[in-house]
Amino acid sequence: MQFLLAFVVVAPLLGAVAALLPAPPGLKGKSPDQAVLRHGVTVTGAILVAALALTLGFDHDHPSKMQATTDISWIPALDVRIHLGIDGISLPLLVLTALLTFLCALYSYFKMPAGPSPKAFVALLLVLESGTLATFAVLDLLLFFLAFEMVLIPMYFLIARWGGAERRAAAWKFILYTLLGSVVMLLGLLLVGLKAGTFDMVALATDNGRGLTTSVQVTAVLAIGVGLAVKTPMWPLHSWLPDAHTAAPTVGSVLLAGVLLKMGTYGFVRIALPVAPDGMRTLAPYLAAFAVVGIIYGSLACLALARKGAKGDLKRLIAYSSVGHMGFVLLGIASMTPTGVNGALFANIAHGLITGLLFFLVGALKDRFGTADLDTLAGATGAALYGRAPRLGGLLAFGAVASLGLPGLAGFWGEMLTMFGAFDPAEGLSRPAFLTFMAIAGVGTLLTAAYLLVVVRRVCMGVPQRQAPGQATIADVQGYEFAAWTPLVALTVLAGLWPAVLLGLTDPAVQKLLAGGKS
C-alpha cells in the first residue's frame, strides 16, 4: 500500500520525463506524435490501475484511519517531512483525479488539440496529474503548498499554447490570480506551523487548535482561506475562471473543473476545519454568505448567457455554473457539521464527474460546429441535436439534468446534504443566519434548473434543416468518445442510486476530523 501510494504520486513525473525523451526505435511506429500520445495513455492508465488497487487494498472498515502512510524526514532544520497517507476523505479525490486524467489522455490520443508538439502536451498533462495527486496525498503543510503550486505552470501552458481565442490573456489571468492567492496562503501556513511547532497535518488535526490562540487561528484561516478561495473559486475571487475555461482546450477544461477546483475545497476540509476550528467558527458565517452569493450570481450569469441574442458561449456558461456548484460545497463546509461536510465532499465528486462530462460534450459540439456560441447552435441551421445527432443530444440532456440535481443522479445528494447542514449548523453558529443561507441556496437550485433547461431546449430541440449540397454531415458520438464518456455517465448514475458507497468512506473520516482526531 505504501509503494502504491508513492507510485501514484511519483510515476506521472517519471512519465513526463520519459515523454520528452526520444522514443526507442521499436516504439515509434509510423508516427512519433501518436507514439507519445500512446505513452500518455499508458502512463495515466497505469496510475489509474494503481489507484484502483489502492482502493481495493484500503481498509474500508476503518476509513477514518490514515493508511498507506510514508513518513520520512526531508528538511530536518524546518521539520519538513515527506509524509503521505490517505483516508476516506482523500481516497475518492485521488481516484477521481486518476480517472479524469486517463480519460483526457485517451480522448487526446484520438482528438489532439491544435497546437505545438504532443511531447510537451503529454509531459504537461502528467506533471499536472502528479501535482494534483500529491495535493490529496501529502500530510505536511509545506509539501501541501508545493503540490498546490505545482499544478499552476502546466495548466498555464496548456491554456496558453493549446487554447483558443484570447488564450494568452486568459492564461495570464489564471496564473496571476492563483499566485497572488497562494502567497497569502503560504503566510497562513507558516503562521500555523511556526506557532504550533510542527507542519505535520495529522498532528495539527489531532491537537485541534489547542496550541493556537483564537486570534492566531482567525488570522491563519483568513490567510489560508484566501488562497483556497481563489482556487475553489469563491465569489468574488472567481473572475479568472470563465476566461480560463473559455480559452482552454477541452481536456484542459475537464481537468480544471473536475480536479483543480477540488484542491481549494479539500484544503478547507483538511486544514482549516481541524487545525483552526475556533478561527473557522468565527469566519464560517462570512464564508457561507460569500458561498450563497456565488450560487445566485453564478446562476444569474448563466441565465444571462443562455437567453436569445446574448451571444453566450456554452463553455463560459458551464464555467459560471461551476461558481454556483462550488458555492454549495463551501456552504456545506461553513456549516461545520458532519452532514454539511459530507455533502460538500459528495458534491465535490459529483461536480467532477458531471462537469467533466459537460465540458467533453461542449468540446465535441465545438469540434463539429466550429463554435460554442449558443445563438449559432440554436439558430435556424443550428444543432437541433435530437434530430441530427440523437446520442450526443441525449448525453447533453443527461449532463444537464444531472447538473441541476435531479434525484437519482449524483448531483442531487451533495446539494441536499449541504442544505441540511445549513439547516442545523454547528454549535456556536447563528441558526437564523444559516436558515437564511439555506433558503437562498434553495432559490439557487431553481435558477440552476432554469438555465440548464433553457440550454437543452435551445441546443437539443428544433427541426433539423435539410442538408445543403456539399455541407458536411454532423457526426454522432464516435467510438473513442463513448470510451471516454461512458465511465462518467455510469459513475454519475451509480453515485446517485447508491450514495452510501461514497458516504460510507467519508462519514467516519469527517466525524473524526470534526471531533479533533477522536474516532
Side-chain angles (χ1 to χ4, degrees):
M1 291 286 283
Q2 288 174 311
F3 170 78
L4 277 175
L5 184 58
F7 174 81
V8 162
V9 172
V10 175
L13 283 179
L14 301 177
V17 173
L20 296 174
L21 298 175
L27 297 179
K28 280 185 179 179
K30 294 181 180 178
S31 168
D33 287 351
Q34 287 300 103
V36 76
L37 291 169
R38 189 163 56 246
H39 168 78
V41 175
T42 304
V43 174
T44 55
I47 292 159
L48 176 59
V49 170
L52 293 175
L54 203 60
T55 305
L56 292 174
F58 188 80
D59 184 358
H60 291 264
D61 293 329
H62 301 92
S64 61
K65 177 186 175 185
M66 279 295 170
Q67 301 179 36
T69 54
T70 299
D71 193 0
I72 304 168
S73 179
W74 183 34
I75 308 175
L78 297 176
D79 192 30
V80 178
R81 310 182 69 80
I82 298 176
H83 192 182
L84 305 176
I86 52 169
D87 62 359
I89 292 171
S90 50
L91 179 62
L93 291 166
L94 203 77
V95 175
L96 176 68
T97 301
L99 173 66
L100 283 177
T101 312
F102 169 70
L103 297 180
C104 286
L106 180 65
Y107 188 84
S108 300
Y109 179 77
F110 294 95
K111 193 71 180 177
M112 172 71 193
S117 161
K119 276 193 171 189
F121 177 83
V122 171
L124 290 168
L125 196 69
L126 291 171
V127 172
L128 182 71
E129 180 180 30
S130 181
T132 312
L133 291 168
T135 301
F136 300 135
V138 297
L139 297 172
D140 183 278
L141 288 180
L142 292 185
L143 274 185
F144 175 85
F145 176 77
L146 292 176
F148 197 84
E149 295 303 287
M150 184 176 165
V151 303
L152 299 186
I153 300 303
M155 182 52 75
Y156 167 81
F157 281 110
L158 285 173
I159 297 171
R161 303 299 299 277
W162 286 272
E166 305 294 330
R167 59 183 183 271
R168 293 191 183 279
W172 273 111
K173 195 170 185 181
F174 161 75
I175 203 162
L176 288 175
Y177 262 78
T178 48
L179 278 177
L180 182 61
S182 298
V183 169
V184 181
M185 183 176 77
L186 177 60
L187 296 176
L189 295 174
L190 290 173
L191 176 65
V192 169
L194 295 174
K195 288 291 185 181
T198 181
F199 290 100
D200 187 271
M201 290 158 67
V202 175
L204 288 166
T206 304
D207 192 51
N208 204 220
R210 285 182 284 272
L212 303 171
T213 63
T214 301
S215 60
V216 168
Q217 289 190 38
V218 171
T219 306
V221 170
L222 190 59
I224 295 169
V226 167
L228 298 175
V230 170
K231 187 66 72 74
T232 297
M234 179 185 78
W235 180 91
L237 304 173
H238 68 283
S239 62
W240 62 269
L241 183 72
D243 292 341
H245 270 309
T246 305
T250 296
V251 294
S253 292
V254 170
L255 292 175
L256 185 58
V259 176
L260 264 66
L261 305 190
K262 313 302 175 282
M263 295 164 65
T265 51
Y266 173 78
F268 276 109
V269 174
R270 180 64 75 196
I271 299 172
L273 277 176
V275 172
D278 292 339
M280 190 68 188
R281 192 171 290 107
T282 301
L283 295 173
Y286 303 100
L287 178 63
F290 282 122
V292 295
V293 170
I295 292 170
I296 299 298
Y297 172 84
S299 300
L300 291 177
C302 289
L303 276 172
L305 288 169
R307 66 184 173 84
K308 189 175 181 180
K311 289 291 180 184
D313 187 283
L314 194 49
K315 286 186 77 175
R316 195 173 190 85
L317 184 146
I318 297 172
Y320 272 111
S321 79
S322 292
V323 176
H325 288 304
M326 298 314 287
F328 281 99
V329 177
L330 291 173
L331 177 62
I333 293 169
S335 73
M336 298 185 69
T337 62
T339 302
V341 176
N342 275 307
L345 293 170
F346 198 103
N348 254 347
I349 301 298
H351 179 265
L353 295 171
I354 297 166
T355 309
L357 175 63
L358 284 172
F359 274 118
F360 269 134
L361 292 167
V362 175
L365 280 176
K366 195 168 184 179
D367 289 336
R368 286 159 170 79
F369 292 93
T371 182
D373 178 73
L374 263 171
D375 286 338
T376 303
L377 293 174
T381 58
L385 287 180
Y386 288 158
R388 301 179 73 185
R391 293 185 184 90
L392 188 59
L395 282 170
L396 183 63
F398 172 85
V401 297
S403 186
L404 64 82
L406 184 74
L409 298 175
F412 170 73
W413 295 104
E415 294 182 3
M416 185 191 73
L417 290 172
T418 57
M419 288 195 285
F420 274 176
F423 179 76
D424 190 14
E427 187 178 348
L429 298 178
S430 168
R431 192 171 184 224
F434 273 82
L435 285 174
T436 304
F437 298 145
M438 183 195 73
I440 296 171
V443 173
T445 62
L446 299 177
L447 295 174
T448 301
Y451 70 74
L452 285 168
L453 292 176
V454 167
V455 167
V456 170
R457 178 177 60 81
R458 297 192 67 200
V459 177
C460 296
M461 297 181 183
V463 179
Q465 300 298 305
R466 180 176 294 177
Q467 185 178 328
Q471 183 183 6
T473 304
I474 300 303
D476 209 340
V477 179
Q478 305 294 297
Y480 71 92
E481 292 172 330
F482 263 125
W485 304 343
T486 299
L488 301 179
V489 173
L491 289 171
T492 298
V493 174
L494 177 66
L497 296 178
W498 196 10
V501 172
L502 189 54
L503 293 173
L505 277 175
T506 61
D507 185 53
V510 167
Q511 297 277 359
K512 181 178 179 180
L513 186 115
L514 294 176
K518 300 171 186 174
S519 297

